[in-house]
Amino acid sequence: MLNKQTVVFLGAGSMAEAMIAGIVNTGKIPSKQILVSNRRNQKRLRELQNTYDIKGISREELTFEHIDIFILAMKPKDIESSLQYLSNKLKPNHIILSVAAGIPTNSIERYLPQGQPVVRVMPNTSSMIGESATAICPGKHATKKVMTIVRELLSCLGTVYQIDEDKMDIFTGIAGSGPAYFYYLIEHMEKAGKECGLDTAIVKQISAQTILGAAKMMIQETDTPAELREKVTSPNGTTAAGLEALEKHGGGRAIMQAVKEAAKRSQEMNSHY
């Protein structure tokens, strides 16, 4: 089914590129059936076209009868104008996916023809290598058939989770913003390693592999994260010393607060629509 779909990305930012890369890398949709468009930056369209062998086009060149899925991948501030542009051109079979953080499905549906299927989507930048944790939330007109197509498409990016829309903000705080938390952690592990005389490039690889291995173990094991942590922490050992330092400097509380603040910001953006 998926190889018959034609997808257009409206927006050409980093999230759009991550999703394009993930889809192209699987080969499940021929690259000639993946289009990307934006309003101004033609240079950016050419870059994406040349890198991924897809088609970069202007909005004026869009042929709506040949498109199946529209992915709204622009900044939230540009959503309204894009929906106004689409509203009188859409057909009932067109599926609308919105990647815009903080904008609920009913706000999008308001601008579109009655019955238009809309699905809210929250991937993360790990889409680029097919390792995203991606949330989907159907609008009121998204049928089982539509959701089957959407799941198949987004499975190109990694693992897909269908959640209730009122949980989308916290998902954003955990998974949408999550990669940045891990990069921040490794950034500071690099700094510590450098201060202690280790080459930064080596520390980066060691840190990334350590986190990757721990994450895979956690997925495979039935133990809770707390139980796994306790198993690798010997009393008065090196790990215990490190964890004590984290707690002393607000480690666990800081992580929780980061997730809550990201979710709060998503809720604030939501309230504007």
Side-chain angles (χ1 to χ4, degrees), residues 220-253:
Q220 293 172 8
E221 298 284 340
T222 56
D223 291 342
T224 67
E227 288 168 339
L228 288 170
R229 173 177 53 77
E230 289 168 1
K231 282 183 178 181
V232 299
T233 307
S234 301
N236 300 315
T238 58
T239 304
L243 289 171
E244 285 170 10
L246 279 174
E247 285 299 316
K248 180 180 178 181
H249 295 281
R253 292 187 297 277

mmCIF file of all heavy atoms in Angstrom, residues 220-253:
data_model
loop_
_atom_site.group_PDB
_atom_site.id
_atom_site.type_symbol
_atom_site.label_atom_id
_atom_site.label_comp_id
_atom_site.label_asym_id
_atom_site.label_seq_id
_atom_site.Cartn_x
_atom_site.Cartn_y
_atom_site.Cartn_z
ATOM 1 N N GLN A 220 15.191 -4.665 26.603
ATOM 2 C CA GLN A 220 15.124 -6.122 26.617
ATOM 3 C C GLN A 220 14.773 -6.695 27.986
ATOM 4 O O GLN A 220 14.200 -7.775 28.091
ATOM 5 C CB GLN A 220 16.463 -6.697 26.149
ATOM 6 C CG GLN A 220 16.767 -6.424 24.686
ATOM 7 C CD GLN A 220 18.181 -6.822 24.289
ATOM 8 O OE1 GLN A 220 18.903 -7.452 25.070
ATOM 9 N NE2 GLN A 220 18.584 -6.463 23.085
ATOM 10 N N GLU A 221 15.117 -5.976 29.040
ATOM 11 C CA GLU A 221 14.895 -6.479 30.404
ATOM 12 C C GLU A 221 13.495 -6.117 30.905
ATOM 13 O O GLU A 221 12.883 -5.159 30.456
ATOM 14 C CB GLU A 221 15.939 -5.882 31.356
ATOM 15 C CG GLU A 221 17.384 -6.263 31.029
ATOM 16 C CD GLU A 221 17.711 -7.682 31.437
ATOM 17 O OE1 GLU A 221 16.992 -8.240 32.293
ATOM 18 O OE2 GLU A 221 18.677 -8.241 30.888
ATOM 19 N N THR A 222 13.025 -6.901 31.885
ATOM 20 C CA THR A 222 11.729 -6.601 32.512
ATOM 21 C C THR A 222 11.891 -5.735 33.754
ATOM 22 O O THR A 222 10.917 -5.201 34.281
ATOM 23 C CB THR A 222 11.007 -7.903 32.901
ATOM 24 O OG1 THR A 222 11.860 -8.670 33.761
ATOM 25 C CG2 THR A 222 10.676 -8.730 31.662
ATOM 26 N N ASP A 223 13.122 -5.603 34.236
ATOM 27 C CA ASP A 223 13.375 -4.776 35.425
ATOM 28 C C ASP A 223 13.073 -3.310 35.135
ATOM 29 O O ASP A 223 13.202 -2.841 34.000
ATOM 30 C CB ASP A 223 14.839 -4.891 35.862
ATOM 31 C CG ASP A 223 15.181 -6.263 36.418
ATOM 32 O OD1 ASP A 223 14.244 -6.995 36.787
ATOM 33 O OD2 ASP A 223 16.376 -6.602 36.463
ATOM 34 N N THR A 224 12.692 -2.588 36.168
ATOM 35 C CA THR A 224 12.484 -1.147 36.034
ATOM 36 C C THR A 224 13.842 -0.449 35.903
ATOM 37 O O THR A 224 14.883 -1.020 36.279
ATOM 38 C CB THR A 224 11.761 -0.583 37.262
ATOM 39 O OG1 THR A 224 12.631 -0.689 38.394
ATOM 40 C CG2 THR A 224 10.452 -1.326 37.522
ATOM 41 N N PRO A 225 13.863 0.795 35.391
ATOM 42 C CA PRO A 225 15.123 1.538 35.352
ATOM 43 C C PRO A 225 15.783 1.644 36.724
ATOM 44 O O PRO A 225 17.009 1.534 36.844
ATOM 45 C CB PRO A 225 14.703 2.916 34.829
ATOM 46 C CG PRO A 225 13.496 2.640 34.012
ATOM 47 C CD PRO A 225 12.778 1.525 34.720
ATOM 48 N N ALA A 226 14.973 1.830 37.775
ATOM 49 C CA ALA A 226 15.536 1.929 39.132
ATOM 50 C C ALA A 226 16.207 0.622 39.546
ATOM 51 O O ALA A 226 17.293 0.621 40.142
ATOM 52 C CB ALA A 226 14.446 2.307 40.129
ATOM 53 N N GLU A 227 15.566 -0.501 39.212
ATOM 54 C CA GLU A 227 16.140 -1.810 39.563
ATOM 55 C C GLU A 227 17.436 -2.063 38.795
ATOM 56 O O GLU A 227 18.412 -2.596 39.342
ATOM 57 C CB GLU A 227 15.123 -2.910 39.280
ATOM 58 C CG GLU A 227 13.960 -2.915 40.274
ATOM 59 C CD GLU A 227 12.818 -3.804 39.837
ATOM 60 O OE1 GLU A 227 12.715 -4.118 38.620
ATOM 61 O OE2 GLU A 227 12.008 -4.187 40.696
ATOM 62 N N LEU A 228 17.463 -1.682 37.515
ATOM 63 C CA LEU A 228 18.678 -1.838 36.712
ATOM 64 C C LEU A 228 19.807 -0.973 37.287
ATOM 65 O O LEU A 228 20.967 -1.398 37.347
ATOM 66 C CB LEU A 228 18.409 -1.462 35.255
ATOM 67 C CG LEU A 228 17.547 -2.448 34.458
ATOM 68 C CD1 LEU A 228 17.151 -1.842 33.119
ATOM 69 C CD2 LEU A 228 18.284 -3.767 34.240
ATOM 70 N N ARG A 229 19.453 0.251 37.680
ATOM 71 C CA ARG A 229 20.452 1.151 38.279
ATOM 72 C C ARG A 229 21.038 0.537 39.545
ATOM 73 O O ARG A 229 22.256 0.566 39.759
ATOM 74 C CB ARG A 229 19.824 2.514 38.568
ATOM 75 C CG ARG A 229 20.745 3.448 39.354
ATOM 76 C CD ARG A 229 20.118 4.804 39.569
ATOM 77 N NE ARG A 229 18.795 4.755 40.154
ATOM 78 C CZ ARG A 229 18.543 4.523 41.441
ATOM 79 N NH1 ARG A 229 19.540 4.290 42.289
ATOM 80 N NH2 ARG A 229 17.298 4.521 41.897
ATOM 81 N N GLU A 230 20.174 -0.024 40.388
ATOM 82 C CA GLU A 230 20.643 -0.620 41.638
ATOM 83 C C GLU A 230 21.564 -1.812 41.382
ATOM 84 O O GLU A 230 22.534 -2.032 42.114
ATOM 85 C CB GLU A 230 19.439 -1.050 42.491
ATOM 86 C CG GLU A 230 18.670 0.133 43.071
ATOM 87 C CD GLU A 230 17.331 -0.261 43.660
ATOM 88 O OE1 GLU A 230 17.004 -1.480 43.641
ATOM 89 O OE2 GLU A 230 16.605 0.639 44.134
ATOM 90 N N LYS A 231 21.277 -2.566 40.312
ATOM 91 C CA LYS A 231 22.091 -3.737 39.998
ATOM 92 C C LYS A 231 23.524 -3.365 39.622
ATOM 93 O O LYS A 231 24.450 -4.144 39.845
ATOM 94 C CB LYS A 231 21.453 -4.524 38.846
ATOM 95 C CG LYS A 231 20.276 -5.395 39.241
ATOM 96 C CD LYS A 231 19.766 -6.194 38.041
ATOM 97 C CE LYS A 231 18.625 -7.115 38.444
ATOM 98 N NZ LYS A 231 18.141 -7.916 37.283
ATOM 99 N N VAL A 232 23.690 -2.194 39.008
ATOM 100 C CA VAL A 232 25.039 -1.812 38.565
ATOM 101 C C VAL A 232 25.734 -0.871 39.550
ATOM 102 O O VAL A 232 26.806 -0.348 39.257
ATOM 103 C CB VAL A 232 25.001 -1.156 37.156
ATOM 104 C CG1 VAL A 232 24.440 -2.121 36.135
ATOM 105 C CG2 VAL A 232 24.190 0.149 37.169
ATOM 106 N N THR A 233 25.107 -0.674 40.706
ATOM 107 C CA THR A 233 25.670 0.247 41.708
ATOM 108 C C THR A 233 26.110 -0.511 42.948
ATOM 109 O O THR A 233 25.290 -0.955 43.756
ATOM 110 C CB THR A 233 24.632 1.327 42.087
ATOM 111 O OG1 THR A 233 24.138 1.960 40.916
ATOM 112 C CG2 THR A 233 25.258 2.378 42.996
ATOM 113 N N SER A 234 27.419 -0.671 43.085
ATOM 114 C CA SER A 234 27.960 -1.324 44.282
ATOM 115 C C SER A 234 28.093 -0.297 45.410
ATOM 116 O O SER A 234 28.481 0.852 45.164
ATOM 117 C CB SER A 234 29.343 -1.919 43.986
ATOM 118 O OG SER A 234 29.258 -2.854 42.932
ATOM 119 N N PRO A 235 27.794 -0.695 46.645
ATOM 120 C CA PRO A 235 27.953 0.238 47.781
ATOM 121 C C PRO A 235 29.373 0.786 47.854
ATOM 122 O O PRO A 235 30.343 0.030 47.760
ATOM 123 C CB PRO A 235 27.632 -0.648 48.996
ATOM 124 C CG PRO A 235 26.783 -1.760 48.447
ATOM 125 C CD PRO A 235 27.284 -2.020 47.064
ATOM 126 N N ASN A 236 29.483 2.081 47.987
ATOM 127 C CA ASN A 236 30.777 2.767 48.113
ATOM 128 C C ASN A 236 31.685 2.607 46.886
ATOM 129 O O ASN A 236 32.887 2.875 46.959
ATOM 130 C CB ASN A 236 31.531 2.288 49.361
ATOM 131 C CG ASN A 236 30.748 2.558 50.626
ATOM 132 O OD1 ASN A 236 30.205 3.647 50.801
ATOM 133 N ND2 ASN A 236 30.678 1.560 51.490
ATOM 134 N N GLY A 237 31.097 2.178 45.760
ATOM 135 C CA GLY A 237 31.884 1.999 44.538
ATOM 136 C C GLY A 237 31.910 3.254 43.677
ATOM 137 O O GLY A 237 31.395 4.318 44.059
ATOM 138 N N THR A 238 32.495 3.116 42.505
ATOM 139 C CA THR A 238 32.638 4.262 41.600
ATOM 140 C C THR A 238 31.289 4.783 41.116
ATOM 141 O O THR A 238 31.075 5.998 41.041
ATOM 142 C CB THR A 238 33.510 3.882 40.396
ATOM 143 O OG1 THR A 238 32.917 2.765 39.715
ATOM 144 C CG2 THR A 238 34.920 3.505 40.829
ATOM 145 N N THR A 239 30.388 3.866 40.763
ATOM 146 C CA THR A 239 29.063 4.288 40.278
ATOM 147 C C THR A 239 28.291 5.003 41.378
ATOM 148 O O THR A 239 27.616 6.019 41.125
ATOM 149 C CB THR A 239 28.268 3.075 39.764
ATOM 150 O OG1 THR A 239 29.028 2.396 38.761
ATOM 151 C CG2 THR A 239 26.943 3.513 39.161
ATOM 152 N N ALA A 240 28.383 4.476 42.577
ATOM 153 C CA ALA A 240 27.711 5.120 43.719
ATOM 154 C C ALA A 240 28.232 6.544 43.904
ATOM 155 O O ALA A 240 27.450 7.479 44.155
ATOM 156 C CB ALA A 240 27.932 4.305 44.989
ATOM 157 N N ALA A 241 29.542 6.724 43.762
ATOM 158 C CA ALA A 241 30.124 8.069 43.909
ATOM 159 C C ALA A 241 29.588 9.009 42.828
ATOM 160 O O ALA A 241 29.260 10.168 43.109
ATOM 161 C CB ALA A 241 31.655 7.990 43.832
ATOM 162 N N GLY A 242 29.502 8.501 41.609
ATOM 163 C CA GLY A 242 28.977 9.328 40.524
ATOM 164 C C GLY A 242 27.522 9.692 40.734
ATOM 165 O O GLY A 242 27.117 10.848 40.521
ATOM 166 N N LEU A 243 26.713 8.726 41.147
ATOM 167 C CA LEU A 243 25.294 8.992 41.381
ATOM 168 C C LEU A 243 25.088 9.960 42.537
ATOM 169 O O LEU A 243 24.186 10.811 42.498
ATOM 170 C CB LEU A 243 24.557 7.676 41.648
ATOM 171 C CG LEU A 243 24.388 6.752 40.436
ATOM 172 C CD1 LEU A 243 23.844 5.395 40.862
ATOM 173 C CD2 LEU A 243 23.463 7.393 39.397
ATOM 174 N N GLU A 244 25.913 9.837 43.563
ATOM 175 C CA GLU A 244 25.823 10.779 44.693
ATOM 176 C C GLU A 244 26.100 12.210 44.236
ATOM 177 O O GLU A 244 25.435 13.161 44.674
ATOM 178 C CB GLU A 244 26.818 10.369 45.783
ATOM 179 C CG GLU A 244 26.379 9.154 46.580
ATOM 180 C CD GLU A 244 27.487 8.622 47.476
ATOM 181 O OE1 GLU A 244 28.525 9.315 47.612
ATOM 182 O OE2 GLU A 244 27.314 7.509 48.034
ATOM 183 N N ALA A 245 27.066 12.343 43.320
ATOM 184 C CA ALA A 245 27.368 13.678 42.784
ATOM 185 C C ALA A 245 26.198 14.209 41.969
ATOM 186 O O ALA A 245 25.849 15.405 42.050
ATOM 187 C CB ALA A 245 28.634 13.617 41.930
ATOM 188 N N LEU A 246 25.575 13.332 41.185
ATOM 189 C CA LEU A 246 24.397 13.755 40.406
ATOM 190 C C LEU A 246 23.285 14.240 41.327
ATOM 191 O O LEU A 246 22.673 15.292 41.090
ATOM 192 C CB LEU A 246 23.888 12.592 39.539
ATOM 193 C CG LEU A 246 24.612 12.336 38.219
ATOM 194 C CD1 LEU A 246 24.078 11.068 37.554
ATOM 195 C CD2 LEU A 246 24.446 13.527 37.264
ATOM 196 N N GLU A 247 22.994 13.471 42.346
ATOM 197 C CA GLU A 247 21.943 13.856 43.283
ATOM 198 C C GLU A 247 22.278 15.167 43.992
ATOM 199 O O GLU A 247 21.427 16.041 44.164
ATOM 200 C CB GLU A 247 21.721 12.745 44.321
ATOM 201 C CG GLU A 247 20.971 11.552 43.779
ATOM 202 C CD GLU A 247 19.577 11.924 43.300
ATOM 203 O OE1 GLU A 247 18.864 12.677 44.000
ATOM 204 O OE2 GLU A 247 19.197 11.480 42.203
ATOM 205 N N LYS A 248 23.542 15.303 44.396
ATOM 206 C CA LYS A 248 23.986 16.509 45.096
ATOM 207 C C LYS A 248 23.766 17.755 44.249
ATOM 208 O O LYS A 248 23.422 18.825 44.761
ATOM 209 C CB LYS A 248 25.461 16.375 45.473
ATOM 210 C CG LYS A 248 26.029 17.584 46.203
ATOM 211 C CD LYS A 248 27.493 17.379 46.553
ATOM 212 C CE LYS A 248 28.074 18.612 47.247
ATOM 213 N NZ LYS A 248 29.516 18.419 47.567
ATOM 214 N N HIS A 249 23.964 17.614 42.942
ATOM 215 C CA HIS A 249 23.846 18.762 42.041
ATOM 216 C C HIS A 249 22.505 18.789 41.301
ATOM 217 O O HIS A 249 22.371 19.447 40.265
ATOM 218 C CB HIS A 249 25.007 18.760 41.053
ATOM 219 C CG HIS A 249 26.341 18.964 41.709
ATOM 220 N ND1 HIS A 249 26.801 20.208 42.097
ATOM 221 C CD2 HIS A 249 27.294 18.079 42.091
ATOM 222 C CE1 HIS A 249 27.990 20.079 42.656
ATOM 223 N NE2 HIS A 249 28.312 18.798 42.675
ATOM 224 N N GLY A 250 21.522 18.065 41.827
ATOM 225 C CA GLY A 250 20.166 18.157 41.297
ATOM 226 C C GLY A 250 19.872 17.303 40.095
ATOM 227 O O GLY A 250 18.919 17.568 39.357
ATOM 228 N N GLY A 251 20.674 16.238 39.862
ATOM 229 C CA GLY A 251 20.543 15.428 38.652
ATOM 230 C C GLY A 251 19.140 14.944 38.339
ATOM 231 O O GLY A 251 18.550 15.303 37.321
ATOM 232 N N GLY A 252 18.562 14.098 39.220
ATOM 233 C CA GLY A 252 17.242 13.538 38.964
ATOM 234 C C GLY A 252 16.165 14.606 38.895
ATOM 235 O O GLY A 252 15.306 14.586 38.006
ATOM 236 N N ARG A 253 16.214 15.531 39.827
ATOM 237 C CA ARG A 253 15.206 16.607 39.847
ATOM 238 C C ARG A 253 15.324 17.485 38.603
ATOM 239 O O ARG A 253 14.319 17.944 38.056
ATOM 240 C CB ARG A 253 15.373 17.447 41.116
ATOM 241 C CG ARG A 253 15.022 16.695 42.398
ATOM 242 C CD ARG A 253 15.038 17.614 43.615
ATOM 243 N NE ARG A 253 16.363 18.172 43.864
ATOM 244 C CZ ARG A 253 17.334 17.531 44.524
ATOM 245 N NH1 ARG A 253 17.124 16.302 44.976
ATOM 246 N NH2 ARG A 253 18.506 18.107 44.721
#
